[in-house]
Amino acid sequence: MKYGVNEQGYYGDFGGAYVPEMLYPNVEELRQQYLTILNDPDFKAEFNQLLKDYVGRPSPLYYAKRYSEKYGANIFLKREDLNHTGSHKINNAIGQILLAQRLGKKRIIAETGAGQHGVATATVCALKGIECVVYMGEVDMERQAPNVARMKMLGAKVVPAMSGSRTLKDATNEALRDWIANPVDTHYIIGSVVGPYPYPDMVARFQSIISFETKKQLFEHTGKELPEYVMACVGGGSNAMGMFYHFLDDESVRLIAVEAAGKGVNSGHSAATTFLGKEGVLHGSRTILMQTEDGQVVEPYSISAGLDYPGIGPQHAHLYKIKRAEYASVTDDEALQAGLLCCQLEGIIPAIESAHALAQLEKMKFKKDDNVVICLSGRGDKDLNTYIKYFNY
Amino acid sequence: MSYEPSNNMNRLNQLFATKGNNLLSIYYTAGYPELNSTLDIAEALEKAGVDFLEIGFPYSDPVADGPTIQNSSQQALDSGMTLKVLFEQLKDLRKRISIPILLMGYVNPIMQYGVERFCKQAAEVGVDGVIVPDLPIYEYETIYAKYFKGNNLSNIFLITPQTSPDRISKIDDLSNSFIYLLSSSSITGGSLNVSDSIEAYYTRVKAMNLKNPTIIGFGISDNATFTKACQYANGAIVGSKFVKLLEEDNYLEKIPAFVQSIRPIY
């Protein structure tokens, strides 16, 4: 693949595996084995079976008629919100638990921000009867209490990350520290296309089912495999990478990634990484991240806990730098309004993360026959409190 | 004894050439407990007989460190410590201190400062080596090595009980002063439990007859752990335990007794 990863784990200037020696054997074991395991027929069969029977795939590609009328183009929603556990995160969690089993691992750790990846990981650990420890920032545990309860019901131990800003980046640090202390029996299920190589490539491959299905489904709808536009929200960027993956080499397809501007890109309360970030190293890969002049990581802000991350995956950084994908940003207010509009036009309550991608529709100029696919990455049940508070229901 | 660099040997090389064992190194975070305490602490440690120092420059997300060092880093950052401030503080380093000095920190602050500028200024103020735990070998060889070597700075690599013999040999080839032997696969601030497997690892590394000396770190906190480490390596590094001392009042006055408690002068 033209935009894929090279042997050293780089996408152009970005990627690599910037890990301390204590993590080197863990990451190296994965690097040596992941492609062999992923290409193994038994692995593929079990992965596809679980995606079908347990997750409920393929997720529908829904022609959104009223959206299409409003925006003057053919708008399709890729319904990852209908997956078991309510978002695209389960695709990766299923893939990695099967990989962990084949590596002989007895214990799973994960980080989570909003709790969606934590819930997905706790779910697959229950499914396979494997011990599960989820690190979650103390602040996020308070913000996302229902997901903490879900993880506990599923048998996971939820450990509060008390260091730093006590949010997603600190939960990631704590998970990495756990992995350092438990290098032999533990697999770390990273939830996004971030981290040291091979994680960004591995997670992208597990999420690529999204665009794989979309091509076929769009052909059934329109007689064409390729849309004019593909759109998705970006925190670390896993749903976007899954949504872009099989369109990357089709240069006619415009790829639009939507970041969280929070209270405004220049408000000092934002998570719009490509607008505010610079090149550097975060969580094991060279990428673009929000940081001070001195190279200290800046705490981002978004109303959406899933987009509240100071970096983006290294492949996104590459697609941004070479301009293969376009990076836009949407504020809290725009996203919440777009979420409500989706409820009222299409009868779907979207996750606030996904609502960022929907909000970008307002800023696009489409031609009448354009086909536009938007990844509806998750459902909004977890965000009801935020919606209720914002709209005073 | 003076350790002035000559013939491309920096102070570290000279130290290892003249004193082969029971070496004691201390780690502490620059700018902690007070923004301007960096050189005062170095001076007190040299007077107390410490052989070389590791001065940490703080980072917001230090994944290889435990809570003690992370907290000291955060407090140093809050006080205004940056690489620019640190190099300013170290301008008088060689007027006051003659033992070898290493800087230790994560790669992102170096990248933002500019690796060339970082190495040049480190050499100018009299730093002898650098420890960057999250700088991989590939990136070191392809990008960083020329700046390190060009400024006569030693790059210190880490090895753990999980590091393979092939990789240890490669690290030995790339090293030019000493190798940092982690006592266990853990973050800083844990306790050193010398189990049979760890002992086997020390013995295995010792039997490899590496060309570089080894120094054991992580979990060294008293005379017993220091002495144990020195059976297998040329010396040991104390970090978190010392940083905890710096939390106390009158910490400068307590430094000689602290050093004595780790390595008594007989």
Side-chain angles (χ1 to χ4, degrees), chain A residues 68-296:
Chain A
S68 299
E69 284 164 6
K70 178 170 168 60
Y71 292 113
N74 301 315
I75 311 284
F76 295 87
L77 302 179
K78 181 60 174 163
R79 298 290 307 274
E80 294 298 304
D81 60 316
L82 295 178
N83 292 340
H84 179 44
T85 73
S87 82
H88 71 291
K89 292 288 186 191
I90 191 77
N91 303 327
N92 169 51
I94 294 266
Q96 287 205 48
I97 196 77
L98 297 182
L99 177 101
Q101 276 192 313
R102 282 157 178 80
L103 291 171
K105 304 293 178 183
K106 307 288 182 222
R107 179 174 174 269
I108 296 296
I109 55 171
E111 86 295 339
T112 197
Q116 290 305 99
H117 172 57
V119 167
T121 303
T123 298
V124 297
C125 287
L127 178 70
K128 290 293 184 181
I130 296 180
E131 183 189 349
C132 180
V133 178
V134 179
Y135 289 90
M136 188 169 187
E138 198 191 21
V139 171
D140 289 336
M141 283 179 75
E142 284 162 27
R143 289 197 288 196
Q144 309 284 336
N147 271 343
V148 175
R150 286 169 83 194
M151 287 185 269
K152 287 181 177 168
M153 286 180 71
L154 290 160
K157 184 177 165 198
V158 184
V159 180
M162 314 286 282
S163 63
S165 53
R166 292 169 293 134
T167 59
L168 177 58
K169 82 177 174 68
D170 308 290
T172 307
N173 293 337
E174 293 301 333
L176 286 168
R177 286 170 180 152
D178 181 309
W179 209 22
I180 287 172
N182 299 285
V184 180
D185 69 336
T186 298
H187 175 68
Y188 177 18
I189 301 190
I190 294 185
S192 192
V193 288
V194 302
Y197 176 66
Y199 278 104
D201 185 50
M202 183 169 73
V203 176
R205 284 168 189 261
F206 290 142
Q207 293 295 359
S208 71
I209 185 75
I210 300 172
S211 47
F212 180 78
E213 290 173 357
T214 298
K215 271 193 168 178
K216 284 192 196 168
Q217 292 167 322
L218 191 69
F219 185 81
E220 286 162 15
H221 277 289
T222 68
K224 288 192 284 188
E225 272 196 340
L226 301 182
E228 275 66 32
Y229 295 89
V230 169
M231 300 169 61
C233 64
V234 176
S238 70
N239 94 83
M241 202 44 70
M243 188 74 248
F244 292 173
Y245 197 90
H246 289 286
F247 296 111
L248 285 171
D249 289 339
D250 300 309
E251 309 273 350
S252 69
V253 180
R254 282 179 66 182
L255 309 174
I256 316 285
V258 184
E259 298 179 338
K263 294 178 178 168
V265 168
N266 296 313
S267 65
H269 302 278
S270 177
T273 304
T274 60
F275 294 86
L276 299 169
K278 280 185 304 179
E279 294 181 20
V281 169
L282 178 67
H283 293 143
S285 64
R286 190 175 167 112
T287 186
I288 297 172
L289 66 139
M290 292 166 57
Q291 53 183 315
T292 64
E293 196 186 333
D294 187 44
Q296 311 299 335

Side-chain angles (χ1 to χ4, degrees), chain B:
Chain B
M1 191 181 302
S2 118
Y3 299 114
E4 284 307 307
S6 62
N7 303 330
N8 275 339
M9 282 180 85
N10 59 34
R11 294 173 195 83
L12 270 173
N13 303 131
Q14 301 214 349
L15 171 66
F16 286 105
T18 52
K19 185 176 174 187
N21 50 41
N22 280 330
L23 292 166
L24 174 61
S25 175
I26 298 279
Y27 167 93
Y28 65 98
T29 306
Y32 178 84
E34 296 159 76
L35 180 62
N36 292 312
S37 53
T38 314
L39 276 189
D40 293 341
I41 293 170
E43 201 166 57
L45 285 168
E46 177 171 21
K47 279 191 184 138
V50 170
D51 295 298
F52 64 102
L53 302 178
E54 293 170 34
I55 301 178
F57 48 95
Y59 179 50
S60 55
D61 294 76
V63 292
D65 288 303
T68 304
I69 291 178
Q70 174 158 19
N71 288 342
S72 70
S73 298
Q74 194 53 54
Q75 196 172 319
L77 289 172
D78 293 345
S79 306
M81 179 50 72
T82 63
L83 274 175
K84 201 174 160 202
V85 170
L86 178 60
F87 282 128
E88 194 60 39
Q89 291 183 350
L90 294 181
K91 269 195 171 144
D92 292 335
L93 173 69
R94 288 304 166 198
K95 285 183 196 150
R96 292 174 62 180
I97 287 132
S98 62
I99 56 176
I101 302 282
L102 294 154
L103 294 184
M104 182 166 186
Y106 291 79
V107 71
N108 196 52
I110 297 178
M111 216 176 249
Q112 302 313 316
Y113 199 75
V115 58
E116 191 171 1
R117 177 175 168 221
F118 172 86
C119 290
K120 195 166 164 278
Q121 293 195 11
E124 275 169 11
V125 299
V127 166
D128 305 289
V130 185
I131 308 176
V132 192
D134 61 341
L135 174 61
I137 287 181
Y138 172 75
E139 282 74 9
Y140 173 70
E141 283 188 288
T142 52
I143 305 164
Y144 286 72
K146 65 175 174 199
Y147 302 114
F148 280 54
K149 287 176 185 164
N151 289 289
N152 204 16
L153 293 170
S154 297
N155 184 33
I156 312 302
F157 292 93
L158 279 54
I159 64 177
T160 79
Q162 270 74 43
T163 308
S164 69
D166 282 355
R167 191 168 164 85
I168 293 176
S169 297
K170 174 157 180 107
I171 285 170
D172 194 33
D173 284 343
L174 287 170
S175 300
N176 62 355
S177 61
F178 74 92
I179 296 172
Y180 197 141
L181 205 62
L182 298 192
S183 53
S184 66
S185 221
S186 70
I187 53 176
T188 56
S191 61
L192 178 63
N193 268 322
V194 182
S195 63
D196 290 350
S197 65
I198 295 291
E199 206 147 342
Y201 149 70
Y202 289 157
T203 309
R204 176 165 60 87
V205 173
K206 200 170 180 183
M208 286 181 77
N209 286 319
L210 304 176
K211 72 178 168 72
N212 289 281
T214 52
I215 298 286
I216 290 178
F218 286 28
I220 310 296
S221 59
D222 52 21
N223 178 247
T225 45
F226 177 78
T227 307
K228 189 84 188 165
C230 290
Q231 287 171 19
Y232 298 96
N234 302 77
I237 301 167
V238 179
S240 299
K241 183 77 192 227
F242 181 70
V243 172
K244 274 191 193 133
L245 176 81
L246 299 180
E247 291 167 6
E248 297 175 15
D249 292 337
N250 304 320
Y251 56 88
L252 283 177
E253 293 161 23
K254 293 175 182 169
I255 284 176
F258 178 87
V259 172
Q260 186 74 14
S261 76
I262 304 287
R263 188 187 61 184
I265 295 167
Y266 303 107

